[in-house]
Amino acid sequence: MGLLDPGSSHPLARRQRLELAGGFVGFFALIALVNAVGLIATGRPSALASIILLALIALGLVVWRAWKRADSAVKNGGKQ
């Protein structure tokens, strides 16, 4: 029963788990963005911070796409 597994449970429960995951990923992406901008603005090395930010944005997109599928499943009454 994985977080992004389409057959894991009821569509509403899956959508709620994805909303929670999206919130965590979004929060840490925002923190990483502030950190990367701060490092760039002060002229300090920021490659690692930028790579982490890119990874969090990519993960956020994956979670968002999975949430959109789960949301449509909820709106269609559990049918995908």
Side-chain angles (χ1 to χ4, degrees):
M1 181 165 114
L3 180 65
L4 302 177
D5 181 21
S8 64
S9 66
H10 191 273
L12 182 59
R14 182 169 182 267
R15 185 181 74 174
Q16 290 174 344
R17 284 194 310 271
L18 287 167
E19 288 172 354
L20 180 67
F24 279 114
V25 171
F27 172 76
F28 286 108
L30 179 65
I31 297 300
L33 175 67
V34 169
N35 184 33
V37 168
L39 288 173
I40 291 169
T42 59
R44 296 186 352 227
S46 61
L48 181 61
S50 297
I51 291 170
I52 291 171
L53 176 60
L54 181 63
L56 286 170
I57 290 172
L59 181 61
L61 289 173
V62 169
V63 170
W64 179 74
R65 288 186 57 167
W67 177 83
K68 290 296 283 182
R69 284 192 305 271
D71 188 47
S72 67
V74 168
K75 289 179 181 175
N76 292 332
K79 302 175 187 128
Q80 284 187 325

